[in-house]
Every structure is written in C-alpha cells, then in structure tokens.
Amino acid sequence: MEQARIVIIGAGFGGLYAARELGRSGKKVVLIDRTNYHLFQPLLYQVATGYLAPGDIATPIRSVLANLKSVSVIHDEVLDLDPGKSCITTRECTIEFDYLLLASGVTYSYFGNTEWSKHAPGLKTVQDAVQMRCRILGAFEAAERSADEKEQERLLTTVIIGGGPTGVELAGAVAELSRGTLKGEFRRIDPQKGRIFLVDSGERILSGFHPNTSAYAKKALEKLGVTVLTNTMVTDLGSEEVKIMRAGSLQVIPTGTILWAAGVQASALAKKLAERTGVTLDRSGRVEVEPNLSIKGYPNVFVLGDLASCKGANGELLPGVAPVAMQQGSYVAKVIVARIRGRDLPPFRYFDKGNMAVIGRGHAVAEYGRLRINGFSAWVAWAIIHIYFLIEFENKLIVFIHWAWNYMTNGRGSRLITKG
Amino acid sequence: MEQARIVIIGAGFGGLYAARELGRSGKKVVLIDRTNYHLFQPLLYQVATGYLAPGDIATPIRSVLANLKSVSVIHDEVLDLDPGKSCITTRECTIEFDYLLLASGVTYSYFGNTEWSKHAPGLKTVQDAVQMRCRILGAFEAAERSADEKEQERLLTTVIIGGGPTGVELAGAVAELSRGTLKGEFRRIDPQKGRIFLVDSGERILSGFHPNTSAYAKKALEKLGVTVLTNTMVTDLGSEEVKIMRAGSLQVIPTGTILWAAGVQASALAKKLAERTGVTLDRSGRVEVEPNLSIKGYPNVFVLGDLASCKGANGELLPGVAPVAMQQGSYVAKVIVARIRGRDLPPFRYFDKGNMAVIGRGHAVAEYGRLRINGFSAWVAWAIIHIYFLIEFENKLIVFIHWAWNYMTNGRGSRLITKG
C-alpha cells in the first residue's frame, strides 16, 4: 500500500510544527508556502522599527526540514482547494492529498475600508515590515527637508491604530526610535518633539490582559511620550491625516505616518474552503473547527493556527498567537499518526502559556494565569522565551547577541529606506 | 563673512570621506544622497548570495556624521546641477554652493543592450543585490517544482557575465551555495549538479591582476565547479538563454539565472555636468578631471570616486575601487580647506593599497605591488581589511562575528526570496 500523502498549506508556526512532527514519524508530507522562509512574526515589529533585518527573523523552510527526508517543500502559491476531490491547485500544479492541513494564516482587515491600506500599512509579512520601516524613517527625512514648521510637525506625528500587543509594541519602539536612536542626527528638526498617538476603539489597550496590566502599560507608554487615546474610533484616514471620533466630537490629526495594528481577517483560502465544503466561517472569516481541529464532514481536513476559529476550555476563542498555532500543529500531526494506526485522540486542549507584550527596552507586561509581572523582570522573561524559540530552528544565537547589543545601546541594525 | 557652503552629491566612500574630513574642520557641508545609508559595496555580492542582510553592510549616513554638527544630510535625489549659476536642483529644492563635490558613482552598462538588464541584473545597489538573491534562490525553487529533467537542468545553470573581481566573487559564492549550503535540502533536484559559467570576452579573468593570479583564480574556480569561458563574447541574452560566440562558433547556453558583472557607465549627472560646463567625458561617461580633481574652468567643482576619469602615476586610469574614492574624498576636502585659507595643494596622488578578490571561503587572491599572495593567507588579509573598514563607521563588530560564523559553517544568514 502506498503511504498516505499529507499536504500542509502554510509554513507558519502551525504548519511547520505539524510538518516536523509528521516528518519525524516518517510520514510523507508536502509543505507548500508562498515564501521560502518561516517568519518569526512576534519580532516583526522590530524589523518595522529598524532593530532587526528581515533575514534575522526568517529561516529558510528547507533548512529547518532538511533532515526529514519524507518531507518535501514547495515554494508556490495555493489558489484553490477541493476536499471533495481530495486535491489542491497551486499556480504551477495540482496535488492530491489523503490529509490536508490548512494553516495559511490571516492578513490585516481594514473593516471594509480597503483604500486605507495604502496609507496605513499593517504588519504580517516581511514586505509589510519593510514598508513600515520606510514610512517611519522616511517621515523624519521628509521633515528634515521641509522648511515649513507646520509641515514638519505633521510629518513628525505618528498615529498607530489598534491597542493590542502589536500596536503597543510599535508605539514603544517608535517612541524609542525618535527619543533615542535618532537623537542628534538631524539639523533642522528635533525628532524628540515628534508626537505618537496610540488609538483604540475599546475602553483600554491590551484588552486581552487584566485591567491592571492595561493601566500599567498605558502609564508606561505615556512615560515614553506616547499619547494613548482609548474609546476613540477612526472614522477616516488619508495620506496626511487621521479623522477620529472621541467623546462625541470629530477631530483631525495631521500625520506623516499611520500604522495599522487593528483587525485581522482570514486568508482567502478559508473562503474557498467554505464554498467547497459548506463549513461555517466566523465574523473574521476564520474557519469553525471540530474539537479535533478537523472540519465538519471532512475528518481528513484540518484547519489550524490563526485561521482556525477554535474555543478554549473556558469557551472563549483562542487568540491568534504563536503558542496556540504550535500546539495545534503538533496536535494535528499526532491525530493523523494515530488515525493511520486506526486510533483516535481526545479533543485539542490548549495549554495556556500566558500572554506578553513589550512596551520598550527593558520593559514589558506578562501574565501567566493569575500571576502578573510588569517591568524589567517581565521583559527578561519575554527575552528568554523569544530567544528560545528564535534559536530553535536554526543557530540564530549570534543574531540574538547582535540584537541584544543593539537593544541595550538603542542602536539599530537595519535602518534602510529602500522604497519611495 | 558667511561661511563657504560645500555641497557633496553622493555618500559613497568618496563623498563620505570628504564630508567627514570637512566636518572635522568645522566647514559647512550639505551631503545629499538618494538613499539614507552608506553602502559597503565591496561586500554587496555577499548580500546577493545570501550570506549577509542588506542592513549588515548599510550604515545610516546620519549616524556616521551625527557628531559633526556643521554637516547636514539630505535624503533627496539630485536632478540637475549648474556650476555656472553655482546651484544644484533636487526633487524638492534648489541648493546654492561655493564648492561642489560630485561623487554619484556608476551604474551597470549593458553596452547599448538596455533590454538585457531585465534578464541579467547587475550589482551596484541594495535593490540589485536583493533582486540577484531572489533570482539565484528562485531558480533552485523553480527547478524543484519542475518535473521535466531538461527544464531542471536549464534552471540549475547559472551564467555570470564579466570576469572581474565581482564576477569571480559571485561565481565562487554561487558555487558554494549550490555545493554546500543547499546540500540535502531538496528532494527532486540535486543542487550540486547545477552548472556555473563565468564568461569573459578577454583573454583571462581578473585582467587587472598579474597573469599568474588570473591563472590561479581560474584553477581555483574550476575546482569549485565553475566553468570559466574566456575569449567569449555574449552576443545576445533572454529570459531563458545566453548566446555566446566562442572560437568562431555561436553557442547557446540554456539558463535559469544570468548575472551581470561586466561594464559600468557613469551616473546621469556626469552627462548633465558635461552639458553645462563642456567638460570631456571618457568612453564610459566618466568625467575627465584636472590633477587636483577639479574640472576644467571650474576650480570650485570637483569630481571624485568611480565617476572621475583620473590617471595614476603610471599614466593608467585609476580603477573604480573603494581605496581610490576614499583617498580622493580626503584629498579634495584638504584642497578646499587649504583654498579657504588661500593656499593650494599639490596634485592628487593615489597611494596604491593593492588589489584583492575572493574566490571562495578561505580562498582569495591579493596583489600588493610585486607581492602576490594566493589562497588562505590572502583571504585572511582580505577579511582583516574588510572588517577594519566595515567597523570603521559603526560598531559592526557583531555583524562581523555573525558573518564569520556563517562563513565558516557555510550557513547563510539571509536567504529570503521576497519578490516574484
């Protein structure tokens, strides 16, 4: 009998962990990704703000899986999938599967205002991060060229939309860029005078954390010079301004840089899957999965990572973070291995590893169950965990030393403006 | 009396050295560059072949000059210059000067076949290097996707045009990529079987070196698996082939990757300068300069670096390499400082620091006057000199450690395919 063929779409944390686990069991796996690298997304904001180069947080998928000879990697884009016919279609070919793992992730959502995307880049890909870096650094350059004080003021104003971990981390990093790294480098402008707004529609930033943590983060950001605007809706934005509704009144913030860290939506493949199988999508377009992460009516098709709409033990949706995707990847791999042996596994259970966000250098917030740590010790915990995962796939220890050095000195390793 | 204003166009080695020297004397300098970074071009081939990230060899111009308060940096593109009216025009403004230093460098020349550029990228900018990296790595990916043996063979064939130091360094690095780094990472293809051609129209590669050195380099490249084709003219090239004329017969090499390392031509500003001042340009469009690097009839306008057509002590044109540009930058700065004090300096004299090219890891050729070294000791000399200059402007020591580690292990730090 020929070996079952397992096709995995997406080499994020979910897809990669599944591929590795299956490869170690000698299963025949085809892993397909649009890029040739696995991206360490949790540090993407550091690329966007010039601390790290894209290559520092991107590992070639092939090199991670080189020793697992039953795993093939294909650098290609999946255009369609048909669980009924057990095949997927890429740009270049059609591939049949016995098991399918869909882990193609999410992209930014502008809540229907797609034209906002060109003024307010999001942060999911290397291209996004490089574009953000060029916007942020380019605004300082444009301000230095300008002779008009009002124009300089506008260009030195950054608006970050979305007060989740990404928004908070961006706000902190931009503040440290303008207050620290760029200090003394300009002649006409003073980067330290730049204003930074962090806008969120909710009552508090970091709404996934405990209210005390949110309050702490707000205070810490304000100390760095960030103006935190909660209960504030963005009603419109363009190339030079953001319109907000706050306490019932409409305000306009003239700005040179708008960064988007608000909603996400599922990748287009989720829609295809729903069309083909009738599976339900949630409000963000994520796929509702069975307790074992397969989809209704197709026990050989699994959805995992950010793309899966999956409930935790307390009935709440699991967040779109790396630990969830990692655990789901390993879990699904085990389900398939067991299935091939004619057995079944109990439903997926997320082992909560806590929640973290960095505010600035040497400054973070962390929660682990009822334990809450803020400040330097939280940052140390954050750094240790991120180093551990960063060096897991490749010897990136020296990247880390490089990064730690820059981080301590507030130097930046990668400050290129390559576009525009 | 107001201070003389010195405008420098281009922040390569020539422009940056001049700015630094002038800044240290407290002179009022405006340095204009299209990018916001100084690029360490001698290591650009390592970005093109995945060893280094662009940020590793690019230093923000502002941070280099931050402490020289009389120097302003403008991130802008110069469109025109008019020595008669003592002003230059950028995209955003007009700037008057008392002294002008033109150091805008060179770009690749396709000898009139401009349509070749889209099939055979050159290597002068970060964008060039990233494009080259995507081509090189992308060809292996495409070969792995292909099921056709002939097509795989074509995709695994790399043709490098031009046997100067850049061509030799690229050929060596591509050979080590396919023979070393990528080994064991593919399932359908064997990257080691890829063929690499280094094509040169002259009698020998590295024609700027001693014939013995050329012969040594040829042998060393052949050992790495590179086919060196001298006395070979490229007559045409397209997306999938290179046509060559060799020993009187026309041959076609089917290929997946064509890299251009042949002729260069002066930047467009040289032409503008010639139009405005009547100064003579040489065959490559470089500006013929007076013994003190000023141009005829305009003692306050200087041309330096790759853009200057300048003869050495032996009557031969000085090569377009970093040491020439550095020495010219410092020299012109001293000429201007002396001039402001009402004095003059003797003509520019190049102090020859020798010539080097890397063939592969731990393998280089070097010449210093009559002294010729090949092999590992030449490579050590090359590495020390490059480290010295790389860390001169910024603490890039850790970049170097990272690089050394990758280089020794034949790992690659930055293997992203970001386009196409």
Side-chain angles (χ1 to χ4, degrees):
Chain A
M1 196 187 81
E2 213 191 315
Q3 243 207 322
R5 183 189 248 194
I6 304 157
V7 170
I8 303 174
I9 302 173
F13 286 107
L16 200 57
Y17 269 65
R20 209 166 47 157
E21 185 90 22
L22 289 163
R24 282 175 183 163
S25 306
K27 298 288 173 272
K28 199 172 161 191
V29 173
V30 178
L31 173 60
I32 308 166
D33 199 288
R34 275 190 301 188
T35 71
N36 71 326
Y37 47 84
H38 165 74
L39 184 64
F40 195 79
Q41 276 185 348
L43 286 179
L44 204 50
Y45 82 95
Q46 298 217 350
V47 174
T49 50
Y51 279 116
L52 291 174
D56 294 340
I57 61 163
T59 310
I61 302 165
R62 290 194 186 288
S63 78
V64 177
L65 301 169
N67 294 327
L68 302 171
K69 297 301 175 193
S70 68
V71 181
S72 302
V73 178
I74 300 183
H75 178 221
D76 202 348
E77 188 173 7
V78 176
L79 302 178
D80 201 358
L81 39 83
D82 191 342
K85 291 184 183 153
S86 294
C87 72
I88 64 159
T89 312
T90 73
R91 251 179 218 298
E92 305 228 342
C93 59
T94 296
I95 302 172
E96 292 184 2
F97 63 79
D98 297 302
Y99 294 92
L100 177 67
L101 278 67
L102 183 59
S104 50
V106 292
T107 175
Y108 268 92
S109 158
Y110 292 87
F111 309 125
N113 304 290
T114 43
E115 73 282 5
W116 290 5
S117 69
K118 67 169 182 279
H119 305 301
L123 190 60
K124 281 289 171 196
T125 67
V126 163
Q127 281 78 2
D128 289 345
V130 169
Q131 200 196 343
M132 238 187 219
R133 184 178 73 195
C134 295
R135 295 281 182 104
I136 295 168
L137 296 171
F140 289 100
E141 296 295 340
E144 176 81 350
R145 283 195 300 270
S146 172
D148 181 79
E149 215 170 294
K150 232 180 166 93
E151 180 71 356
Q152 287 180 342
E153 210 173 280
R154 174 183 76 76
L155 286 163
L156 292 179
T157 301
T158 306
V159 179
I160 297 151
I161 301 166
T166 303
V168 166
E169 286 169 338
L170 278 172
V174 170
E176 287 179 336
L177 177 73
S178 54
R179 272 68 176 156
T181 313
L182 298 182
K183 207 172 141 182
E185 292 195 1
F186 293 83
R187 301 293 174 257
R188 286 181 173 179
I189 59 163
D190 179 0
Q192 300 190 63
K193 286 189 182 158
R195 293 192 306 166
I196 300 159
F197 293 96
L198 179 62
V199 177
D200 197 280
S201 60
E203 273 191 10
R204 56 191 178 93
I205 57 172
L206 296 180
S207 60
F209 291 68
H210 189 275
N212 289 359
T213 305
S214 300
Y216 178 89
K218 181 168 183 271
K219 230 174 179 170
L221 283 174
E222 285 169 348
K223 230 186 216 165
L224 284 174
V226 177
T227 308
V228 179
L229 302 177
T230 46
N231 289 314
T232 304
M233 290 284 295
V234 171
T235 59
D236 197 11
L237 58 83
S239 61
E240 303 195 347
E241 61 179 32
V242 175
K243 286 186 181 145
I244 56 171
M245 175 68 92
R246 186 172 156 75
S249 82
L250 203 66
Q251 294 171 38
V252 177
I253 309 177
T255 170
T257 314
I258 313 173
L259 308 178
W260 189 262
V264 293
Q265 66 189 5
S267 80
L269 288 177
K271 228 178 188 170
K272 293 264 183 205
L273 188 69
E275 280 168 24
R276 300 289 193 184
T277 64
V279 75
T280 316
L281 304 182
D282 74 5
R283 223 166 41 121
S284 306
R286 286 173 301 195
V287 180
E288 294 195 352
V289 292
E290 301 292 292
N292 73 347
L293 305 179
S294 67
I295 62 170
K296 211 172 188 162
Y298 296 85
N300 64 329
V301 176
F302 300 84
V303 179
L304 55 157
D306 290 4
L307 198 60
S309 182
C310 176
K311 289 203 172 88
N314 56 7
E316 277 184 29
L317 270 188
L318 293 178
V321 295
V324 173
M326 291 170 179
Q327 292 178 32
Q328 290 182 334
S330 300
Y331 170 80
V332 170
K334 286 188 188 112
V335 167
I336 292 172
V337 171
R339 188 88 60 81
I340 291 171
R341 291 188 191 141
R343 292 187 307 185
D344 236 330
L345 287 190
F348 172 69
R349 266 199 72 173
Y350 177 53
F351 173 67
D352 191 350
K353 293 206 172 153
N355 230 342
M356 293 183 151
V358 167
I359 292 162
R361 290 187 304 134
H363 210 151
V365 293
E367 293 182 355
Y368 177 67
R370 284 191 191 168
L371 179 68
R372 292 194 301 275
I373 331 171
N374 300 327
F376 186 69
S377 46
W379 185 82
V380 170
W382 174 88
I384 290 172
I385 290 170
H386 283 74
I387 295 156
Y388 173 79
F389 284 110
L390 195 59
I391 63 176
E392 195 192 0
F393 292 130
E394 206 189 7
N395 197 334
K396 292 248 181 194
L397 187 63
I398 289 158
V399 168
F400 166 70
I401 297 170
H402 178 197
W403 168 81
W405 174 260
N406 279 331
Y407 213 63
M408 282 183 295
T409 59
N410 207 6
R412 308 254 165 166
S414 205
R415 261 171 59 191
L416 290 69
I417 301 177
T418 45
K419 281 178 191 175
Chain B
M1 196 187 80
E2 213 190 317
Q3 243 206 323
R5 182 189 250 195
I6 304 157
V7 170
I8 303 174
I9 302 173
F13 287 108
L16 200 57
Y17 269 64
R20 208 166 47 158
E21 186 90 23
L22 289 163
R24 283 175 182 162
S25 307
K27 299 289 173 272
K28 198 172 162 190
V29 174
V30 178
L31 174 60
I32 308 166
D33 200 287
R34 274 190 301 188
T35 71
N36 71 325
Y37 47 84
H38 165 74
L39 185 64
F40 194 79
Q41 276 186 346
L43 286 178
L44 204 51
Y45 81 94
Q46 298 217 350
V47 174
T49 51
Y51 279 116
L52 292 175
D56 293 340
I57 62 163
T59 310
I61 302 164
R62 291 195 184 287
S63 78
V64 177
L65 301 169
N67 295 327
L68 301 170
K69 296 301 175 194
S70 68
V71 181
S72 302
V73 178
I74 300 183
H75 177 220
D76 203 347
E77 187 174 5
V78 177
L79 303 178
D80 202 357
L81 39 82
D82 192 341
K85 291 186 181 152
S86 294
C87 72
I88 64 161
T89 312
T90 72
R91 251 180 218 298
E92 305 227 342
C93 60
T94 295
I95 302 172
E96 293 185 2
F97 62 79
D98 297 300
Y99 295 91
L100 177 67
L101 278 67
L102 183 59
S104 50
V106 292
T107 174
Y108 268 91
S109 159
Y110 291 87
F111 308 125
N113 303 290
T114 43
E115 74 282 5
W116 291 4
S117 68
K118 67 169 180 280
H119 305 301
L123 191 61
K124 281 290 171 195
T125 66
V126 163
Q127 282 78 2
D128 289 345
V130 169
Q131 201 196 343
M132 239 187 217
R133 184 178 74 195
C134 295
R135 294 280 181 106
I136 294 168
L137 296 172
F140 289 100
E141 296 295 339
E144 175 82 349
R145 283 195 299 269
S146 172
D148 181 79
E149 215 169 294
K150 238 189 159 85
E151 179 70 358
Q152 287 180 343
E153 211 174 279
R154 174 182 78 74
L155 287 164
L156 291 180
T157 302
T158 305
V159 179
I160 296 151
I161 301 167
T166 303
V168 166
E169 287 169 338
L170 278 173
V174 171
E176 286 179 336
L177 177 73
S178 55
R179 271 70 176 155
T181 313
L182 298 183
K183 207 172 140 182
E185 292 195 0
F186 292 83
R187 300 293 174 255
R188 286 180 171 178
I189 59 164
D190 179 1
Q192 299 191 64
K193 287 190 182 155
R195 293 192 305 167
I196 300 158
F197 293 96
L198 179 63
V199 177
D200 196 280
S201 59
E203 275 192 9
R204 55 191 179 94
I205 57 170
L206 296 181
S207 60
F209 291 68
H210 189 275
N212 290 358
T213 305
S214 299
Y216 178 90
K218 182 168 182 270
K219 231 174 178 171
L221 283 174
E222 285 169 348
K223 231 186 217 165
L224 284 174
V226 177
T227 308
V228 179
L229 302 177
T230 47
N231 288 314
T232 303
M233 290 282 296
V234 171
T235 60
D236 198 11
L237 59 83
S239 60
E240 303 195 347
E241 60 179 33
V242 175
K243 285 185 182 147
I244 56 171
M245 174 69 92
R246 185 174 158 73
S249 81
L250 203 67
Q251 294 170 37
V252 177
I253 308 177
T255 171
T257 315
I258 313 173
L259 308 179
W260 189 261
V264 293
Q265 66 189 3
S267 80
L269 288 177
K271 227 178 188 171
K272 294 264 180 202
L273 188 69
E275 281 169 24
R276 300 289 193 185
T277 64
V279 76
T280 317
L281 302 183
D282 75 3
R283 224 166 39 121
S284 306
R286 285 174 301 195
V287 180
E288 294 194 353
V289 293
E290 301 292 293
N292 74 348
L293 304 180
S294 67
I295 62 170
K296 211 172 188 161
Y298 296 85
N300 64 330
V301 176
F302 299 84
V303 179
L304 55 156
D306 291 4
L307 198 61
S309 182
C310 175
K311 289 204 173 85
N314 57 6
E316 277 184 30
L317 270 188
L318 294 178
V321 294
V324 173
M326 291 171 181
Q327 291 179 31
Q328 290 181 335
S330 299
Y331 170 80
V332 170
K334 286 188 188 111
V335 167
I336 292 172
V337 172
R339 189 88 60 81
I340 290 171
R341 290 189 191 140
R343 291 186 307 183
D344 236 331
L345 288 190
F348 172 69
R349 266 199 73 173
Y350 176 52
F351 172 67
D352 191 349
K353 293 207 173 153
N355 231 342
M356 294 184 151
V358 167
I359 293 164
R361 290 186 303 134
H363 210 151
V365 294
E367 293 182 356
Y368 177 68
R370 284 191 189 169
L371 179 68
R372 293 195 300 275
I373 332 172
N374 300 327
F376 186 69
S377 47
W379 184 82
V380 170
W382 173 88
I384 290 171
I385 289 170
H386 283 73
I387 295 157
Y388 174 78
F389 284 112
L390 195 59
I391 63 176
E392 194 191 0
F393 292 131
E394 205 187 10
N395 197 335
K396 291 249 183 195
L397 187 62
I398 290 158
V399 168
F400 166 70
I401 297 171
H402 178 197
W403 168 82
W405 173 260
N406 278 330
Y407 213 62
M408 282 184 294
T409 59
N410 207 7
R412 308 253 165 167
S414 206
R415 263 170 59 191
L416 290 69
I417 301 176
T418 45
K419 279 178 192 176

